[in-house]
Structure formats: structure tokens, C-alpha cells
Amino acid sequence: MALNTILLWNPIVWNVSPEIFDFGFFALRWYGLLFALGFVFGQRILTRIYNAEGRTEQDVDVITLYMIIGTVLGARLGHCLFYEPEVYLKDPIRILKIWEGGLASHGATIGILLSLFLFSRKYKFDYLWVLDRIVIVVALGGSLIRLGNLFNSEIIGKPTDLPWAFKFERNHELINGVQASLQPRHPAQLYESISSFLLFLFLYSLWNRRKSLTPRGLLFGLFVVILFTLRFLYEFLKENQVDKEDFLLNTIGMNIGQLLSIPLIIIGLFILIRAITKPTYVDPVVSASK
């Protein structure tokens, strides 16, 4: 007999409104606030990092703009192309309707990598040096975004009878013929949020210990390998986001999130191993002035 049926524990009832306040013509949502705070806090932390290594606040302002554009465009296009291409290719104008929901972290990763490549070329920064510093604040931003998913009662986990299970009472979607809100579930968003925050602390402490003497590519390699390995594992605890993931899971044993994580983990491992075995160092002032 399942533990919850004999009432030996009570799941955490999650019934928090996704809206902080609603004026009718405008509503402020937790997700939007936390998304924005990721950039606000990230800019402050990045300013400290850049100042400590001889760069200016102006550099941070410019890279933040590149980051915002790369994150939003990448996350939106990633969701449309990776998860529901048949829907958005049929009606491309829907791609612009971000308020309807649909952002993908793998798409955001690709968007950030491309936008920072353009930033590095234009302003003559070493690309890996830029990535090593930016992943510190990306980890923090990812933690806040997953909290936003929690407030939206989305990206929920599979049913469980663990004592910290959540009942997402505002989630009324049908999963395997059962309304999601009726079953205690893994708080998968919280797992990822806590993991990303701990990753932020870990990366920042590594940078703070050696600053410009941190081997080139070390922080980026660690970030990619740790984050997407955890993402691969957490997917086993999460409900699939779209129906075609059920087909993939039944045929190859992995969903879209796991398939997209594998190449990133491989790239991260290559860069990490190279940073450890053949460490190189970059002076950001010299590289940006060439």
C-alpha cells in the first residue's frame, strides 16, 4: 500500500499564484520578476569580476545587452524548434508570442554562446575568458528561472510518495489520464534551482581564489559538464514537456532534454580536460586591447 494512502505523511500543497499583483491592464508575474532579477544580480556580480581583472563597467553593460538578446531569442527559438516545430512552422507569427510561454534552456545556452562569440569578436576579448566569467552569473540566473517555473507550477516532476513531494494544485493538465494536481510529485524545479545555486557558489569560489590565474576554459567546462549532467539525470524525475517526448522515451529511452544535453556534456568534457592537462592563461586587458 502506498505511503500516502495510509496517511503517514502529507505532501506540501503548492497553491501559490503565479501573479504578484494584477491591475487588469498589467500583471506582474513571479516568473518575469525572477527572470529580470537574474540579469540585475548577474550584472552586479559580473561588474565585480570584471573590475577585479582590470576591465570596466562599460564592458559589463555591453555584454549584458548581448546576453539579454541571446538568452531571450535563443530560449524562445529553442523551444519552438526543439519541442514544437510542427506548431510554430505552421504559424510562424506565434514565435513572437512569448507571453504564451515556451522557453528552452538548451536554446538559451546556444543563444548565449552565439551572442558572446559576436561580442568577443567585436570587442576583441578572448572567447573562453568571456565564457569562464559569464557562466558564474548564468548559474545564478538559471536558479532564479527555475524558481519562476515553480511559481508557475510548470515543469513538474513525476508522482512520488517522498515526504517532500509537492501537490501542484494550480496545474490542471492531464498526464497519463490523471489530472496533475491530484498526485504528489517531485518538485523538479526546486531540485534544479538548488543545484544551480550551489553551482554558482562553487564557480564563484573557484574564480575568487585565483581570478586571472584561473586556467582558461576551466570554469566553462565545469559549468557545462555539471549542469547538463544533472539536467540529464533530473529528466528521469520530470514529466515530459510535449507528447512526442513520450515516443522518444519509449523508443530510445531518452527525451528531448536528455538528447540535447549529451553534445553539450561532450564539448564541456573536452574543454575541461584540456584546461586541466594543458592550462593556459589570458590577460583580459591585453587581449581586449589587441
Side-chain angles (χ1 to χ4, degrees):
M1 184 179 295
L3 189 60
N4 58 329
T5 60
I6 54 177
L7 303 178
L8 292 181
W9 65 279
N10 291 312
I12 298 168
V13 176
W14 186 256
N15 193 27
V16 178
S17 172
E19 296 178 348
I20 302 173
F21 54 76
D22 186 354
F23 290 131
F25 63 92
F26 172 76
L28 178 63
R29 299 175 67 91
W30 284 107
Y31 184 91
L33 176 63
L34 290 164
F35 192 95
L37 286 177
F39 289 104
V40 172
F41 293 150
Q43 187 176 37
R44 289 176 177 270
I45 295 167
L46 203 59
T47 297
R48 184 184 187 284
I49 292 172
Y50 271 46
N51 287 341
E53 297 198 46
R55 300 308 306 167
T56 67
E57 292 187 22
Q58 183 178 0
D59 294 322
V60 178
D61 292 338
V62 175
I63 199 173
T64 299
L65 179 60
Y66 275 77
M67 277 284 295
I68 292 173
I69 295 173
T71 301
V72 174
L73 288 181
R76 182 56 177 168
L77 290 175
H79 172 81
C80 298
L81 297 177
F82 294 151
Y83 288 89
E84 298 181 287
E86 66 284 352
V87 174
Y88 291 98
L89 292 178
K90 186 182 299 183
D91 184 15
I93 197 67
R94 287 189 61 185
I95 295 175
L96 302 176
K97 299 179 180 181
I98 298 179
W99 58 88
E100 292 183 353
L103 299 174
S105 58
H106 291 91
T109 300
I110 296 171
I112 290 170
L113 291 174
L114 290 175
S115 65
L116 294 187
F117 175 75
L118 296 175
F119 167 83
S120 301
R121 285 195 62 181
K122 182 173 182 179
Y123 295 96
K124 297 180 173 60
F125 276 83
D126 180 84
Y127 185 41
L128 269 182
W129 183 91
V130 171
L131 293 180
D132 278 335
R133 275 71 190 165
I134 209 70
V135 293
I136 298 173
V137 299
V138 169
L140 177 61
S143 175
L144 293 172
I145 287 172
R146 281 297 182 242
L147 277 183
N149 295 137
L150 179 65
F151 278 99
N152 279 349
S153 295
E154 61 190 2
I155 313 183
I156 60 175
K158 293 180 179 179
T160 181
D161 57 6
L162 289 171
W164 57 81
F166 275 45
K167 287 191 70 174
F168 295 96
E169 291 201 340
R170 289 179 176 269
N171 190 314
H172 302 301
E173 62 182 314
L174 290 178
I175 300 176
N176 297 323
V178 179
Q179 189 168 298
S181 60
L182 298 178
Q183 296 178 303
R185 295 176 175 273
H186 283 285
Q189 320 94 322
L190 206 51
Y191 297 163
E192 291 191 87
S193 179
I194 293 172
S195 297
S196 293
F197 184 72
L198 292 176
L199 180 57
F200 156 70
L201 294 178
F202 172 62
L203 294 174
Y204 184 82
S205 66
L206 282 181
W207 168 82
N208 195 44
R209 195 174 304 162
R210 302 187 66 183
K211 297 183 172 64
S212 60
L213 295 178
T214 304
R216 178 175 175 267
L218 178 68
L219 300 181
F220 175 73
L222 284 169
F223 169 83
V224 172
V225 171
I226 294 173
L227 182 75
F228 288 104
T229 298
L230 288 174
R231 173 66 185 271
F232 185 92
L233 296 174
Y234 285 145
E235 289 297 315
F236 289 113
L237 302 178
K238 293 159 60 175
E239 293 288 1
N240 291 326
Q241 302 301 300
V242 292
D243 291 339
K244 67 181 176 182
E245 287 193 292
D246 294 330
F247 172 76
L248 286 173
L249 198 61
N250 292 330
T251 54
I252 62 175
M254 291 185 288
N255 62 22
I256 295 175
Q258 290 171 318
L259 289 173
L260 293 173
S261 295
I262 292 173
L264 291 169
I265 294 171
I266 294 172
I267 292 170
L269 279 172
F270 174 79
I271 294 174
L272 179 59
I273 292 171
R274 188 175 181 84
I276 294 172
T277 58
K278 298 179 180 179
T280 57
Y281 305 90
V282 174
D283 185 333
V285 178
V286 175
S287 66
S289 62
K290 288 180 180 178

